[in-house]
Amino acid sequence: MGTLTETLPHTGGYLITEEAGDISREAVVVASGEGKLRPGTVLAKLTADGKHVVYDNAGTDGSETAAAILWDGVDATAADAPAVVTARLATVNAAELVWKDGLDAAGKTAGLADLATRFIIAR
C-alpha cells in the first residue's frame, strides 16, 4: 500500500468560526514578490496601493499593521496574485496562524492585537 502525505496547513484550517454568508471574507490582491504563501498567513495592507503583503511589525509602509488572514495558499512570486482572506468577524486558532519567518513574540502579540481591532479573535 502506498504512503499518503498530508500537506499542511489546510485551506481555512485556522478558522474556528466566522459570520454566516461571506461577510467575514474578502477578495484581495497579494503583491508580487511575496512568494508562495500558505493558508493561515497573517497579511497586512500596503498604504500606497492597497495590495496585501506578509505582516511585518517592523514595516513602515502599512505592512506593520496586521489586517487579514490568507484563506488558501497563493503563489505571488513573480506576479500579483488574487486571493481570499478572512478580513473581519471571525475566531481563529492562534496555533494555526503562519507568521513571517523570524517574527518575535512581541511582533506576534502586536499582530494579534491588530487583528482584534477587525474583530478577528485568536484563541
Side-chain angles (χ1 to χ4, degrees), residues 4-89:
L4 297 177
T5 302
E6 185 174 19
T7 303
L8 296 173
H10 294 288
T11 299
Y14 60 89
L15 195 61
I16 296 172
T17 63
E18 66 180 337
E19 279 299 308
D22 59 1
I23 196 169
S24 295
R25 298 186 203 171
E26 192 170 291
V28 302
V29 173
V30 175
S32 177
E34 290 301 294
K36 292 182 179 180
L37 303 180
R38 299 181 303 161
T41 299
V42 179
L43 300 176
K45 188 174 182 178
L46 294 176
T47 306
D49 60 13
K51 293 178 183 176
H52 282 68
V53 295
V54 176
Y55 162 72
D56 180 0
N57 194 43
T60 59
D61 55 1
S63 62
E64 71 278 9
T65 305
I69 303 170
L70 189 62
W71 175 253
D72 197 4
V74 299
D75 185 352
T77 303
D80 289 348
V84 173
V85 298
T86 299
R88 67 191 68 78
L89 300 171

